[in-house]
Amino acid sequence: MSPRPSGPLAQVKALTFDVFGTVVDFRSSIIAEGRRLSALHGDAPVDWPAFADQWRAEYRPAMDRVTAGSETWINVDNIYRRALDMLIEKFGIDWLSEEELAEFNLIWHRLEPWGDSVLGLERLRKRFILATLSNGNVRLLVDLARHAKLPWDMVLSSELVRAYKPDRRMYQSAVDYLSLEPQEIMMVAAHQYDLRAAAELGFRTAFVMRPLEHGPEFQVDLTIDDDFDVVANDMVDLARQLGL
Amino acid sequence: MSPRPSGPLAQVKALTFDVFGTVVDFRSSIIAEGRRLSALHGDAPVDWPAFADQWRAEYRPAMDRVTAGSETWINVDNIYRRALDMLIEKFGIDWLSEEELAEFNLIWHRLEPWGDSVLGLERLRKRFILATLSNGNVRLLVDLARHAKLPWDMVLSSELVRAYKPDRRMYQSAVDYLSLEPQEIMMVAAHQYDLRAAAELGFRTAFVMRPLEHGPEFQVDLTIDDDFDVVANDMVDLARQLGL
């Protein structure tokens, strides 16, 4: 346990978290579920790691189309379902029933946390208000919190503002709903673009490194921006650096 | 523990709760805080029970003006502060500093739960998604949950929709954000008007009787509507009746 921070960080009252990749390990969870489905269907051979990567990759362009205004609002559950329908064709998966597909799409509601997440969040919650600030829809984030035992005080979601990060309205919603000044909120994320967008509004920033987010072979961008207030190896390290 | 309910109640997946009066006992909390302030200021004599009742009474007409459109959006923190400024004049309280008044207004963020609330909610959470559906603003509800250890999965608030119960948009927001059908949600409240408005959208309803909400001398309306799905003495009784 480090001393409680002084200086600008002493003002922080709430932490807002990116969830996918930062708090939960979507890739391993999807691969495990895919393998379970394969096993149920006579060990159907599918490259599940590639499937997981491509499923996740469909997410950003769909959200960007919403942000650019070329597509009306669509929530993440529906973005993933549309991508799933495309991917089962591409991977030649014709052995899943509609019921199984609907259930498979809900794997995003049952992702496993990184090993340090729950302990780190429990420690951080002793002093800070903890909120998601995620592009996931509300029900997805609620189910995920119940499944992975994530102790959120508030679920802030793109669905509440109908905009996706890094749209400024997302960060503004945290300021408004938490009734705090931007410098009283610290954005916690494994992705630089998310932290930079938060910093533009005046948030404090914590970069949590997740080198395995896209698997052991993918080179994650771990470039540390000098402007980040905290750089942490994981959530327990973040708690330690904040004196908890 | 009763058997798990069958029939229409078996469909229920989430419970949405009124908070002020139903989950927390605002009257006793305000009286206690008022008496603490009096003691700090030479035992200044104030009729704190009357003060508490009148403070709470200012809440409904202010919200009704928002609903009627004769006043633009104002959140509950500000409704209470405006009422506080009026009441300190009326009760001749000229011995509180601006800092103390600001802090006193935040008593609504630190109300005590009824004795059965936390145990009942913990039991209910084993099977149901628990959400507030309250006219309180988000930060107030978050602070209250942290203070009183209320295990909400989601904080649904008037502030998210800029409308106050019994405005239909409030109940609709629970349907939308929880991604459920109305009959999969049970509204839990100590107030008939709230349950009737929820039932109009198709919610199930649980009437939790709080005869002491307005103090021992006030006759609370405990009329049971035949259409209520459950009538409970408290939250532990509600859990029991739902098989938990």
Side-chain angles (χ1 to χ4, degrees), chain A residues 13 125-130 137-139 142-143 146 152-155 159-160 176-180, chain B residues 13 125-130 137-139 142-143 146 152-155 159-160 176-180:
Chain A
K13 295 195 171 70
R125 194 171 182 226
K126 289 180 193 160
R127 189 173 343 124
F128 302 105
I129 293 172
L130 304 188
N137 43 301
V138 170
R139 176 62 185 277
V142 165
D143 286 346
R146 287 177 64 95
W152 306 126
D153 292 304
M154 177 65 195
V155 170
E159 201 173 30
L160 301 178
D176 294 340
Y177 292 137
L178 299 178
S179 302
L180 291 171
Chain B
K13 294 195 171 68
R125 195 170 182 226
K126 289 180 195 162
R127 189 173 344 124
F128 302 106
I129 293 172
L130 305 188
N137 43 302
V138 170
R139 176 64 184 278
V142 164
D143 286 347
R146 287 178 64 95
W152 306 127
D153 293 303
M154 177 67 195
V155 170
E159 201 173 30
L160 301 179
D176 293 341
Y177 292 138
L178 299 178
S179 303
L180 290 171

Side-chain angles (χ1 to χ4, degrees), chain A residues 185-221:
Chain A
I185 308 177
M186 176 176 273
M187 183 75 210
V188 182
H191 312 118
Q192 294 93 339
Y193 82 92
D194 197 355
L195 297 175
R196 289 196 194 105
E200 267 190 39
L201 254 85
F203 282 44
R204 304 297 171 205
T205 51
F207 182 45
V208 175
M209 291 190 284
R210 295 298 191 192
L212 295 175
E213 177 178 357
H214 299 288
E217 290 169 43
F218 187 92
Q219 194 68 36
V220 168
D221 178 7

